[in-house]
Amino acid sequence: MDLTGGSAPARTSKNRPSDLVPDPDSVTPSGSGSPSLPVSGGAGPSSAAPSPGPRVPEARTSAASASRSGAGASLPRTSRPRASVPEARGPVVPEAPDARPDARPTVTELRLSAFAGHRSAAHALGPVTLFTGPSGSGKTTILRAYEALARLGAGDPLDEVFPDAADLVPERARPDAQGRRGFRIGCTVDGPCGPVRLDLAVQAEPRLRIVGERLTARDRTLLATALRDPARSTVQAEWHTAGATPVTRAPLPDDLLGTALLPLRVAGRTPGQLEVLAAAEQVVVGLRSAFACDPRPERMRAPVPPGEGRLRRDCANLAEVLHRTHNDCPRRHHRLATVAGAGCAGTVTGLGVRELREGTVRAVLERAGRTATPLGRLGDGELRYLALALTLLTGPGVLEMDRVAEVPDAMQGLTLLADGLDRGLDRRQSAELLRLAVEIAGDGHIRVAGSVGDRTAAEARRTPGVTVVDLGT
């Protein structure tokens, strides 16, 4: 059985990749000694499929360099007759009755088929989705799986995304005869092409590598990869062509997401190739819209030098970003000051920025009838509340995230990943942040996925527009 339950893109090879990827629930070996992970044995490819051949460093280099530059691992076009993402009208969408050109690529489901303590788990994601449950129920693990897929979609290599991959293998997963174990995750990205599924099988032991990947849309498998020769650092891939040749086969690196590499390899000359490109680009754009935010109050108190004003994950440069919004986005800055009044002590009249003699900037909270209070004097909860509110009110352009430069802003979204969203917040701050998240998510540009405690979860259940997933039931 294949990785996702769909059919493989071709039936011409009797030893195709889909035959080498068993069911996602097959984590432990059966009585017959089948492998605990979708890896092939020593058998090589059939005569109908070409040998995996040498590694393809040119694809890896292009993907990695594009990711580091912010242009995107999966989107550049240097010598193609057509661009995969026209700047004027967004991603290419093949003509289909259910195509929705106005929809932004959005992750609507996260699947943890076998990942750490999760097995056969599928979670639908709404505009605001909060995970709750007792300690050890896997709230952080779910958000980590989401962020890992986002990083792979941006072109990050597997060893950087999973530095502790062995700890993510389910405890019940026993090694096969070759000592191989691993895990499985996946997601669904909705958008102009309709729902597109991505499923990934990763071998963690004895060596970290991707051993199976499947991209599916409209009940058709558009990309399937599998490990043919364990001695090579490649997987054999086949993707839908629907031209003179039904599928195209080629080796891909086993440490990079194949979906993110497809726009570097697919010419886009046939309707089938256009369908593959559109689906791959939808997944990449949807995944790369994630921003993991974990404000650290102890790093946010000191003055900072002014810079480009892009908020970092730990929000240590909060004063720098407020300096930018104060000058470049006065309306958003004023709104943030209004929101600050609902979560900070006293009567807040504004958020100011002071330029210090040593060339740094310090953010201050202005209160009625009192001198301005440096943000360094605020409590941890107040600082976390301000940082998370700023993230919701600004969007991708003010966040230090891997934006897709080739996609117009109107086609891009933002998903805020916040583990411990209510950590350090009191009841009033949590309720106000929930209200703000629902209001901002209402226009479709920004979504939220986070974990919260019992008290905030109870408040969220009473808040229209919030989906609460209880992992303790």
Side-chain angles (χ1 to χ4, degrees):
M1 184 178 294
D2 62 42
L3 185 63
T4 62
S7 58
R11 301 301 182 199
T12 56
S13 171
K14 60 183 179 182
N15 189 23
R16 56 189 182 276
S18 56
D19 291 331
L20 304 175
V21 184
D23 184 77
D25 292 333
S26 303
V27 180
T28 56
S30 63
S32 61
S34 59
S36 62
L37 207 68
V39 292
S40 69
S46 69
S47 58
S51 171
R55 193 175 175 84
V56 282
E58 67 280 4
R60 176 192 173 100
T61 302
S62 300
S65 61
S67 170
R68 301 297 184 268
S69 66
S74 63
L75 298 172
R77 287 285 194 278
T78 56
S79 60
R80 302 287 169 84
R82 52 173 297 281
S84 64
V85 186
E87 296 184 0
R89 57 186 178 90
V92 173
V93 181
E95 294 183 4
D98 56 345
R100 292 163 294 166
D102 296 332
R104 297 180 186 88
T106 303
V107 178
T108 55
E109 184 184 56
L110 190 65
R111 293 182 294 280
L112 289 80
S113 301
F115 188 72
H118 296 272
R119 181 177 174 86
S120 301
H123 301 291
L125 302 178
V128 180
T129 305
L130 301 179
F131 296 92
T132 188
S135 178
S137 59
K139 303 183 294 293
T140 298
T141 305
I142 291 175
L143 297 177
R144 180 177 180 183
Y146 192 137
E147 185 182 2
L149 288 170
R151 292 185 60 187
L152 290 172
D156 287 0
L158 199 63
D159 58 351
E160 294 182 10
V161 177
F162 297 112
D164 54 347
D167 296 335
L168 301 176
V169 179
E171 292 182 357
R172 292 180 296 169
R174 294 171 293 170
D176 64 3
Q178 287 74 40
R180 295 175 292 190
R181 300 197 309 156
F183 53 85
R184 300 171 183 270
I185 55 177
C187 65
T188 298
V189 181
D190 211 344
C193 300
V196 180
R197 291 173 55 101
L198 171 67
D199 290 278
L200 195 65
V202 177
Q203 174 186 298
E205 298 172 346
R207 184 170 77 81
L208 183 63
R209 64 200 313 178
I210 295 174
V211 294
E213 180 178 346
R214 180 145 304 175
L215 187 70
T216 311
R218 300 188 185 93
D219 298 323
R220 176 183 295 161
T221 299
L222 303 179
L223 167 71
T225 74
L227 184 68
R228 291 285 185 83
D229 185 354
R232 297 178 181 266
S233 298
T234 60
V235 291
Q236 186 70 9
E238 58 180 27
W239 56 84
H240 182 64
T241 306
T245 303
V247 298
T248 299
R249 296 181 178 88
L252 292 178
D254 65 358
D255 62 345
L256 295 174
L257 187 69
T259 297
L261 296 174
L262 280 180
L264 300 172
R265 305 294 300 270
V266 180
R269 296 189 179 95
T270 69
Q273 290 176 342
L274 290 175
E275 184 179 2
V276 171
L277 283 174
E281 289 164 356
Q282 175 171 299
V283 169
V284 169
V285 172
L287 286 175
R288 288 175 59 181
S289 68
F291 176 71
C293 185
D294 183 18
R296 300 296 182 92
E298 68 276 9
R299 303 178 185 178
M300 299 161 58
R301 302 183 183 280
V304 295
E308 61 177 347
R310 299 185 67 193
L311 190 66
R312 297 197 292 266
R313 178 192 184 114
D314 61 0
C315 303
N317 63 331
L318 179 64
E320 173 197 349
V321 179
L322 291 176
H323 181 264
R324 174 185 173 183
T325 60
H326 182 270
N327 295 326
D328 300 342
C329 314
R331 294 181 61 183
R332 291 183 180 180
H333 188 87
H334 177 74
R335 188 177 181 187
L336 177 63
T338 302
V339 172
C344 297
T347 303
V348 178
T349 59
L351 277 171
V353 179
R354 302 288 187 267
E355 297 183 0
L356 306 181
R357 291 183 178 180
E358 57 267 26
T360 59
V361 293
R362 170 187 291 156
V364 298
L365 197 67
E366 299 170 351
R367 294 189 173 104
R370 296 172 55 179
T371 58
T373 303
L375 259 58
R377 292 181 175 270
L378 299 183
D380 286 1
E382 290 177 308
L383 285 173
R384 281 185 53 84
Y385 170 82
L386 283 176
L388 291 167
L390 175 62
T391 304
L392 289 170
L393 289 171
T394 53
V398 188
L399 305 177
E400 192 176 71
M401 58 183 297
D402 186 29
R403 299 185 65 198
V404 186
E406 295 85 351
V407 178
D409 289 342
M411 291 295 298
Q412 295 194 48
L414 167 68
T415 298
L416 170 64
L417 304 180
D419 186 23
L421 180 68
D422 58 344
R423 188 188 320 131
L425 305 186
D426 60 26
R427 187 182 302 273
R428 179 186 62 157
Q429 292 166 334
S430 299
E432 180 61 25
L433 205 59
L434 280 178
R435 185 201 63 78
L436 179 63
V438 171
E439 177 186 347
I440 296 298
D443 65 5
H445 281 84
I446 295 180
R447 297 165 69 91
V448 178
S451 63
V452 295
D454 293 340
R455 186 185 64 188
T456 304
E459 177 70 26
R461 292 187 183 97
R462 299 189 294 267
T463 305
V466 180
T467 301
V468 179
V469 179
D470 193 342
L471 301 177
T473 58

